[in-house]
Amino acid sequence: MTISLGEQFVRLSIAIDGHLPGYVDSFFGPTTWKEEVEKEGKIPLETLKQRTDALYAEISHADMDAQRKSFTLREMAAMKMSLRLLSGEKFPLADEVTALYDVTPAWKPESIFEEAQRELSDLLPAGDNIVERLQVWNKSIEVTNDQIRELLPVIVQRLRSLTHEKFNLPEGEDFTLEFVTDQPWSAYNWYRGKYQSLIQLNVDMPIAISRLPDLIAHEGYPGHHTELCIKEEKLINQNGWDEFTVNLINAPSCVLNEGIATSALDTIVSEAELVNWFHDELLPRANLSHIDAGRLISIYQTANKVGGVVGNATFMLHDQKTSEEEIVKYLQKYGMYQEKQAQRSVKFITNPLYRSYIFTYHIGKELLSGLFAKGDRDQHFARLLAEPVNPTMVREWIGK
Ligand SMILES: [Zn+2]
């Protein structure tokens, strides 16, 4: 019996996950593949390197769809880097990110964060300093877990129908939502296959109402859940490309996953529609009718401009060997983080699986903004949801 190249890719990924738990973010192919790999026990890294090189060479010479081939080879180049890191090799963070994600991260000048803080200063309630003023504001628009439970179905329903109109969701797709605590992330989408996801929401810290539509768009419609459903339908069920039954954490595709998710809400709802939605429906349902919806959105969007600050924190932690205590202070100063939130971010970037992942969010968003600036946003977004795409391909589409 010959094993398909796609299946070999999956088996290799599962074997690497044995050394780096969480490397396989989701797998929804035949369970026997996973069981058989696990039966082999922990496979030595040297053996895995040899298998990766052999499969890479085999795919390079295979007669297959050109986009599929170039996508898979770039994912495998990242896989080789993951194996080198697992063997204990050390690299400057920027080299690690470039090899794993096909994008090159750079230090963000603090002037970007200072500019966002100046803009926020005109929008926030008066007070002693910007961090405190932002906290007071967020406190005034906090929602309880019971309110979240009531608001989420309303948000899910609207975003699902807008997504379906534009991008045609597969029949029978659905997700369940769960509240969790004590995680390094604020929300997570676990894809189960057969168009089903589990979306977990970390409720360690209070959630501001302004975040909720973005959160559901990011994890669900038309973000992670939508992308994975449509890819399962097209790439696996229609094309029979086995390798797409696995999704990896340290791979160039992650930049597209997070780029799609961070641009998801803006793709289906205009700013004016969002303001009206908060004004007419969401704020009244949470007894927050006294809040100005336009101001709520402006503050939310402006505060998001400091997102790149965590990238700087990651350079500080891994290249500059700055202490965690100093980094928490840096995040408070430039990112306007509360102490607990800053500590959660440091925990996230300390994890070897996530330390370079952090760059996929803002670099993914910037990359896709460049693509959407060329026009035809919906057509581009539809392609990203349905095709195997990596950052090099997007740069080629943009023409630079
Ligand atoms: Zn995400």
Short mmCIF file of all heavy atoms in Angstrom, two decimals, residues 284-311:
data_model
loop_
_atom_site.label_atom_id
_atom_site.label_comp_id
_atom_site.label_asym_id
_atom_site.label_seq_id
_atom_site.Cartn_x
_atom_site.Cartn_y
_atom_site.Cartn_z
N PRO A 284 -28.14 48.83 24.23
CA PRO A 284 -29.38 48.72 25.00
C PRO A 284 -29.54 47.37 25.69
O PRO A 284 -29.97 47.30 26.85
CB PRO A 284 -30.48 48.93 23.95
CG PRO A 284 -29.83 49.71 22.86
CD PRO A 284 -28.39 49.27 22.84
N ARG A 285 -29.18 46.29 25.02
CA ARG A 285 -29.33 44.96 25.63
C ARG A 285 -28.47 44.78 26.88
O ARG A 285 -28.75 43.93 27.71
CB ARG A 285 -28.92 43.87 24.62
CG ARG A 285 -30.04 43.46 23.70
CD ARG A 285 -29.54 42.36 22.77
NE ARG A 285 -30.55 41.97 21.80
CZ ARG A 285 -31.43 40.99 21.99
NH1 ARG A 285 -31.42 40.30 23.10
NH2 ARG A 285 -32.31 40.70 21.05
N ALA A 286 -27.37 45.55 26.95
CA ALA A 286 -26.48 45.45 28.11
C ALA A 286 -26.71 46.61 29.09
O ALA A 286 -25.85 46.86 29.95
CB ALA A 286 -25.03 45.43 27.64
N ASN A 287 -27.83 47.27 28.97
CA ASN A 287 -28.14 48.44 29.82
C ASN A 287 -27.07 49.51 29.75
O ASN A 287 -26.69 50.12 30.76
CB ASN A 287 -28.34 48.03 31.29
CG ASN A 287 -29.48 47.04 31.44
OD1 ASN A 287 -30.52 47.18 30.76
ND2 ASN A 287 -29.29 46.04 32.27
N LEU A 288 -26.52 49.71 28.55
CA LEU A 288 -25.46 50.71 28.38
C LEU A 288 -25.88 51.76 27.34
O LEU A 288 -25.03 52.31 26.63
CB LEU A 288 -24.16 50.02 27.94
CG LEU A 288 -23.46 49.13 28.96
CD1 LEU A 288 -22.36 48.30 28.31
CD2 LEU A 288 -22.88 49.94 30.11
N SER A 289 -27.18 52.05 27.27
CA SER A 289 -27.68 52.99 26.25
C SER A 289 -27.08 54.39 26.39
O SER A 289 -27.05 55.15 25.43
CB SER A 289 -29.19 53.11 26.33
OG SER A 289 -29.76 51.86 26.08
N HIS A 290 -26.61 54.72 27.58
CA HIS A 290 -26.03 56.05 27.81
C HIS A 290 -24.66 56.21 27.14
O HIS A 290 -24.13 57.31 27.05
CB HIS A 290 -25.91 56.33 29.32
CG HIS A 290 -25.09 55.29 30.02
ND1 HIS A 290 -25.60 54.04 30.35
CD2 HIS A 290 -23.79 55.28 30.42
CE1 HIS A 290 -24.66 53.32 30.94
NE2 HIS A 290 -23.55 54.06 31.00
N ILE A 291 -24.06 55.11 26.70
CA ILE A 291 -22.73 55.18 26.06
C ILE A 291 -22.88 55.59 24.59
O ILE A 291 -23.73 55.07 23.88
CB ILE A 291 -22.03 53.80 26.14
CG1 ILE A 291 -21.79 53.37 27.60
CG2 ILE A 291 -20.73 53.77 25.34
CD1 ILE A 291 -20.67 54.07 28.33
N ASP A 292 -22.02 56.51 24.15
CA ASP A 292 -22.02 56.97 22.75
C ASP A 292 -21.33 55.91 21.88
O ASP A 292 -20.13 55.64 22.04
CB ASP A 292 -21.26 58.31 22.70
CG ASP A 292 -21.17 58.86 21.27
OD1 ASP A 292 -21.25 58.06 20.31
OD2 ASP A 292 -21.01 60.08 21.13
N ALA A 293 -22.09 55.31 20.98
CA ALA A 293 -21.56 54.19 20.18
C ALA A 293 -20.39 54.62 19.27
O ALA A 293 -19.44 53.85 19.09
CB ALA A 293 -22.68 53.58 19.33
N GLY A 294 -20.45 55.84 18.73
CA GLY A 294 -19.38 56.31 17.85
C GLY A 294 -18.06 56.43 18.62
O GLY A 294 -17.00 56.00 18.15
N ARG A 295 -18.16 56.96 19.83
CA ARG A 295 -16.98 57.11 20.67
C ARG A 295 -16.44 55.74 21.08
O ARG A 295 -15.22 55.51 21.12
CB ARG A 295 -17.38 57.93 21.90
CG ARG A 295 -16.26 58.31 22.81
CD ARG A 295 -16.84 59.08 23.98
NE ARG A 295 -15.84 59.50 24.92
CZ ARG A 295 -16.10 59.72 26.21
NH1 ARG A 295 -17.33 59.59 26.68
NH2 ARG A 295 -15.14 60.11 27.01
N LEU A 296 -17.35 54.82 21.38
CA LEU A 296 -16.97 53.46 21.76
C LEU A 296 -16.10 52.80 20.67
O LEU A 296 -15.05 52.22 20.96
CB LEU A 296 -18.24 52.63 21.97
CG LEU A 296 -18.10 51.15 22.33
CD1 LEU A 296 -18.33 50.97 23.82
CD2 LEU A 296 -19.09 50.30 21.57
N ILE A 297 -16.53 52.94 19.43
CA ILE A 297 -15.80 52.33 18.32
C ILE A 297 -14.46 53.04 18.10
O ILE A 297 -13.43 52.39 17.89
CB ILE A 297 -16.63 52.35 17.01
CG1 ILE A 297 -17.94 51.56 17.20
CG2 ILE A 297 -15.84 51.78 15.82
CD1 ILE A 297 -17.76 50.14 17.65
N SER A 298 -14.48 54.37 18.16
CA SER A 298 -13.22 55.11 17.97
C SER A 298 -12.18 54.71 19.01
O SER A 298 -11.00 54.50 18.68
CB SER A 298 -13.44 56.62 18.09
OG SER A 298 -14.33 57.03 17.09
N ILE A 299 -12.60 54.61 20.26
CA ILE A 299 -11.65 54.24 21.32
C ILE A 299 -11.13 52.82 21.10
O ILE A 299 -9.93 52.55 21.19
CB ILE A 299 -12.29 54.38 22.73
CG1 ILE A 299 -12.58 55.84 23.03
CG2 ILE A 299 -11.39 53.75 23.80
CD1 ILE A 299 -13.34 56.10 24.32
N TYR A 300 -12.02 51.93 20.74
CA TYR A 300 -11.62 50.53 20.52
C TYR A 300 -10.58 50.44 19.39
O TYR A 300 -9.55 49.80 19.53
CB TYR A 300 -12.86 49.68 20.18
CG TYR A 300 -12.54 48.22 19.98
CD1 TYR A 300 -12.16 47.43 21.07
CD2 TYR A 300 -12.59 47.63 18.71
CE1 TYR A 300 -11.86 46.09 20.89
CE2 TYR A 300 -12.28 46.29 18.53
CZ TYR A 300 -11.91 45.53 19.62
OH TYR A 300 -11.59 44.21 19.45
N GLN A 301 -10.87 51.13 18.29
CA GLN A 301 -9.95 51.06 17.14
C GLN A 301 -8.61 51.74 17.43
O GLN A 301 -7.56 51.24 17.03
CB GLN A 301 -10.60 51.68 15.90
CG GLN A 301 -11.74 50.81 15.39
CD GLN A 301 -12.52 51.44 14.26
OE1 GLN A 301 -12.41 52.64 14.04
NE2 GLN A 301 -13.32 50.64 13.56
N THR A 302 -8.65 52.85 18.12
CA THR A 302 -7.41 53.56 18.43
C THR A 302 -6.55 52.75 19.40
O THR A 302 -5.33 52.65 19.23
CB THR A 302 -7.71 54.96 19.00
OG1 THR A 302 -8.65 55.60 18.14
CG2 THR A 302 -6.46 55.81 19.09
N ALA A 303 -7.19 52.16 20.39
CA ALA A 303 -6.44 51.36 21.37
C ALA A 303 -5.78 50.16 20.67
O ALA A 303 -4.69 49.73 21.07
CB ALA A 303 -7.36 50.90 22.50
N ASN A 304 -6.41 49.64 19.63
CA ASN A 304 -5.83 48.51 18.90
C ASN A 304 -4.54 48.86 18.15
O ASN A 304 -3.78 47.98 17.77
CB ASN A 304 -6.84 47.95 17.90
CG ASN A 304 -7.79 46.97 18.55
OD1 ASN A 304 -7.56 46.53 19.67
ND2 ASN A 304 -8.88 46.66 17.89
N LYS A 305 -4.31 50.16 17.94
CA LYS A 305 -3.11 50.57 17.21
C LYS A 305 -1.82 50.27 17.98
O LYS A 305 -0.73 50.33 17.41
CB LYS A 305 -3.15 52.07 16.88
CG LYS A 305 -4.21 52.42 15.84
CD LYS A 305 -4.16 53.90 15.51
CE LYS A 305 -5.30 54.29 14.58
NZ LYS A 305 -5.40 55.75 14.43
N VAL A 306 -1.94 49.97 19.25
CA VAL A 306 -0.73 49.66 20.02
C VAL A 306 -0.43 48.15 20.01
O VAL A 306 0.48 47.69 20.70
CB VAL A 306 -0.80 50.17 21.49
CG1 VAL A 306 -1.03 51.67 21.53
CG2 VAL A 306 -1.87 49.43 22.28
N GLY A 307 -1.17 47.39 19.19
CA GLY A 307 -1.02 45.93 19.16
C GLY A 307 0.41 45.45 18.97
O GLY A 307 0.82 44.46 19.56
N GLY A 308 1.20 46.17 18.16
CA GLY A 308 2.57 45.75 17.88
C GLY A 308 3.51 45.79 19.09
O GLY A 308 4.63 45.29 19.03
N VAL A 309 3.02 46.35 20.20
CA VAL A 309 3.88 46.48 21.39
C VAL A 309 4.32 45.11 21.91
O VAL A 309 5.42 44.96 22.45
CB VAL A 309 3.13 47.31 22.48
CG1 VAL A 309 2.03 46.51 23.16
CG2 VAL A 309 4.10 47.84 23.51
N VAL A 310 3.49 44.09 21.74
CA VAL A 310 3.85 42.75 22.23
C VAL A 310 5.01 42.18 21.41
O VAL A 310 5.82 41.42 21.93
CB VAL A 310 2.65 41.77 22.18
CG1 VAL A 310 2.92 40.56 23.05
CG2 VAL A 310 1.38 42.43 22.62
N GLY A 311 5.09 42.56 20.14
CA GLY A 311 6.23 42.15 19.32
C GLY A 311 7.52 42.70 19.92
O GLY A 311 8.51 41.97 20.07
#
